Amino acid sequence: MKTTSAEAYLDETTLIQRAAHGDAAAWEPLMQAHQQAVFRLCYLLLGDPDDAEDVAQETFLRAWNYLKRFDSTRPLRPWLLSIASNLASNRRRSAGRYLAALTRAFQNEIPQANLEEKNLQNNDANELWKAVQTLNFQDQQIIYLRYFMDLSVNETSEVLQIAEGTVKSRLNRALEKLRNVIQKDFPFLTEGHEA
């Protein structure tokens, strides 16, 4: 017998309520249901699978510790993604200076011809991801949530804890910046796509 979305939601609500009262067995299926999405967002924001795994684990630990404060009538995924996004932001901020110095040193050692050769070998998806990574964290975050994680405007609003109108305006600005980056630094991504 197939469960309806209302039954699935009720099951999640019941599991959340049980887990909030300390039932670890109820928390396990909730983690399993959302671990892929949480890891994916962490990986998109951090770019390193080990860091993403660490932040994903920390996300579920934090969620477990604060589950009593969570409104179980709301969907769990946006709340978890909000926690993951904040933790990833903190991780990036703390490692930012070190990574920036390493990146500069690495780029100074690689001849430009090798960078261009590498760009030719990568597929469009990797190049698009690189283009997105040139944006500031806030712009990356909104693009990843809306398009890479395929969240609705409403869900993105919940994750970022901002109004839906703000999501739309930030998304428009981020996409405009991305268009400019692609035109300037990744023009081959638009080849064959011009109207």
Side-chain angles (χ1 to χ4, degrees), residues 148-169:
F148 286 62
M149 299 297 296
D150 201 26
L151 296 182
S152 68
V153 169
N154 178 270
E155 291 169 324
T156 303
S157 165
E158 287 185 40
V159 169
L160 297 177
Q161 299 171 351
I162 58 177
E164 287 184 32
T166 306
V167 168
K168 291 175 185 176
S169 63

Side-chain angles (χ1 to χ4, degrees), residues 28-115:
E28 185 68 28
L30 292 168
M31 285 192 322
Q32 289 175 354
H34 300 290
Q35 68 185 4
Q36 185 177 7
V38 168
F39 175 81
R40 233 173 109 198
L41 178 62
C42 293
Y43 182 74
L44 286 168
L45 293 172
L46 297 169
D48 178 85
D50 293 330
D51 285 346
E53 184 64 33
D54 289 347
V55 171
Q57 287 177 5
E58 190 175 346
T59 296
F60 286 108
L61 285 173
R62 288 258 175 110
W64 170 256
N65 289 331
Y66 292 98
L67 201 53
K68 286 184 180 182
R69 296 182 188 176
F70 178 69
D71 177 1
S72 63
T73 63
R74 301 177 66 131
L76 184 62
R77 182 170 291 195
W79 184 62
L80 290 172
L81 293 177
S82 177
I83 294 170
S85 180
N86 289 333
L87 290 172
S89 176
N90 293 343
R91 170 79 56 112
R92 278 180 56 142
R93 196 172 22 254
S94 67
R97 288 187 188 135
Y98 177 72
L99 291 175
L102 281 178
T103 301
R104 282 192 304 273
F106 181 71
Q107 288 174 339
N108 289 337
E109 291 178 14
I110 297 177
Q112 187 63 30
N114 287 348
L115 288 177

